[in-house]
Amino acid sequence: MRLRGRRGSRNIENRRRQGGGRGGKAAPIGGVGLILVLAIGYSAEEERLTEFPLQILATTEQVWAQIFPRQVGKNFTPPTSVLNADVTQSPCGGASGATGPFYCSADEKAYLKTDFFVTLSRQLEAKGDFPATYVIAHEVPHHVQNQLRILGQVHLAHQQSSQTDANALTERLELQADCHSGVWARSLEELLEPSDIEEALNVARMIGDDQLQKRAGRVPQPLTHGISKQRASWFAKGFSRQTISTSATHLARVGCNV
């Protein structure tokens, strides 16, 4: 992406030099899926990738601040993003390399482990700018869903559903976030390099439930984020439609209806 000279987000808690523990009982939303991350430590490569996420976060703030009044009829309040290098506390539990990035609705913060972006490039064959870009662009829409009360509706439905149905609802929630990240990308089309969208689709395919389980060497697990084909497809639909869904995933009829 063409981000040289662009400001970074100021809605940040930098915990990269701090230790931490485990927090409360709320459920984290929107980790990219089942990922086993190697501990690669604090490095110059991670240092370089810290500034870039702040610039991406700033673009999400810009885009959603424009979309909300136009499509939702209300103002958008951006999330705070927590940058951590090790385990840190959240009301949704410990944020670590094993969990990957996630959104915690209890404190309305996105937890971004910075060296995860290095790992994503190295281990998942996700090259270019879009490994970090895609993950951040996916987490912020979970805050969008929270502001639209979609997360609350889905959490309530979880309590009234079987485990199979609850997993299906979670999957649709994640695919809607993929679609909304596509809407974000289209809104920044003037900043995109020619290869950016293909890189984004490649990342989506690499972090599908089927690919991650295959890499982890595990027997098939319940699908909670969508398989590779679905994740790439819904990002592409969001990029094409440019319309968000403003209701719960299982009720939506327009926009990113999954």
Side-chain angles (χ1 to χ4, degrees), residues 38-61:
L38 295 177
I40 60 175
Y42 190 81
S43 66
E45 188 173 6
E46 187 212 352
E47 179 70 26
R48 182 182 59 80
L49 286 177
T50 299
E51 181 181 5
F52 183 73
L54 299 185
Q55 293 174 313
I56 296 299
L57 285 166
T59 68
T60 66
E61 294 163 2

Side-chain angles (χ1 to χ4, degrees), residues 53-97:
L54 299 185
Q55 293 174 313
I56 296 299
L57 285 166
T59 68
T60 66
E61 294 163 2
Q62 170 193 332
V63 167
W64 291 109
Q66 294 170 349
I67 288 177
F68 257 54
R70 186 169 65 246
Q71 296 192 28
V72 183
K74 58 187 293 188
N75 292 329
F76 176 72
T77 302
T80 296
S81 295
V82 177
L83 302 183
N84 64 293
D86 300 305
V87 176
T88 192
Q89 293 180 337
S90 90
C92 296
S96 69

Side-chain angles (χ1 to χ4, degrees), residues 10-24:
R10 296 180 177 87
N11 296 304
I12 296 296
E13 287 184 22
N14 192 343
R15 303 183 191 175
R16 293 167 63 233
R17 295 295 190 179
Q18 301 174 10
R22 295 189 179 277

Side-chain angles (χ1 to χ4, degrees), residues 142-155:
H142 287 307
H143 182 68
V144 170
Q145 291 168 328
N146 198 27
Q147 292 214 324
L148 294 174
R149 303 183 185 278
I150 292 174
L151 289 187
Q153 293 178 56
V154 172
H155 287 162

Side-chain angles (χ1 to χ4, degrees), residues 2-256:
R2 302 182 181 98
L3 296 175
R4 178 170 296 183
R6 295 184 67 89
R7 71 169 182 86
S9 172
R10 296 180 177 87
N11 296 304
I12 296 296
E13 287 184 22
N14 192 343
R15 303 183 191 175
R16 293 167 63 233
R17 295 295 190 179
Q18 301 174 10
R22 295 189 179 277
K25 299 180 180 179
I29 296 293
V32 294
L34 173 67
I35 295 185
L36 303 181
V37 179
L38 295 177
I40 60 175
Y42 190 81
S43 66
E45 188 173 6
E46 187 212 352
E47 179 70 26
R48 182 182 59 80
L49 286 177
T50 299
E51 181 181 5
F52 183 73
L54 299 185
Q55 293 174 313
I56 296 299
L57 285 166
T59 68
T60 66
E61 294 163 2
Q62 170 193 332
V63 167
W64 291 109
Q66 294 170 349
I67 288 177
F68 257 54
R70 186 169 65 246
Q71 296 192 28
V72 183
K74 58 187 293 188
N75 292 329
F76 176 72
T77 302
T80 296
S81 295
V82 177
L83 302 183
N84 64 293
D86 300 305
V87 176
T88 192
Q89 293 180 337
S90 90
C92 296
S96 69
T99 59
F102 66 86
Y103 175 75
C104 182
S105 60
D107 60 4
E108 299 187 338
K109 294 179 180 179
Y111 288 79
L112 306 173
K113 191 168 188 294
T114 50
D115 66 3
F116 174 85
F117 302 131
V118 181
T119 302
L120 189 63
S121 294
R122 290 179 178 177
Q123 293 183 243
L124 300 187
E125 302 173 6
K127 306 301 182 182
D129 291 338
F130 254 77
T133 302
Y134 183 94
V135 171
I136 295 168
H138 173 91
E139 296 308 326
V140 173
H142 287 307
H143 182 68
V144 170
Q145 291 168 328
N146 198 27
Q147 292 214 324
L148 294 174
R149 303 183 185 278
I150 292 174
L151 289 187
Q153 293 178 56
V154 172
H155 287 162
L156 180 61
H158 277 173
Q159 299 171 14
Q160 303 168 351
S161 302
S162 67
Q163 188 61 56
T164 298
D165 289 342
N167 288 341
L169 286 171
T170 299
E171 181 183 68
R172 291 156 86 173
L173 195 69
E174 297 296 337
L175 292 174
Q176 186 185 72
D178 285 334
C179 187
H180 286 174
S181 67
V183 175
W184 161 85
R186 183 59 178 266
S187 299
L188 291 172
E189 198 168 13
E190 74 280 2
L191 299 181
L192 298 180
E193 302 285 359
S195 62
D196 281 342
I197 295 305
E198 183 51 44
E199 288 177 10
L201 294 173
N202 180 55
V203 175
R205 289 188 287 264
M206 290 297 100
I207 61 176
D209 282 335
D210 51 339
Q211 285 294 320
L212 294 176
Q213 290 176 16
K214 180 179 178 181
R215 285 178 174 272
R218 297 193 178 190
V219 296
Q221 301 289 316
L223 302 180
T224 57
H225 288 71
I227 62 174
S228 299
K229 182 177 180 180
Q230 289 174 305
R231 300 201 71 169
S233 174
W234 281 105
F235 178 90
K237 287 177 181 179
F239 189 83
S240 174
R241 294 179 181 180
Q242 306 176 62
T243 305
I244 68 170
S245 176
T246 58
S247 61
T249 52
H250 58 301
L251 300 175
R253 298 182 183 276
V254 296
C256 293

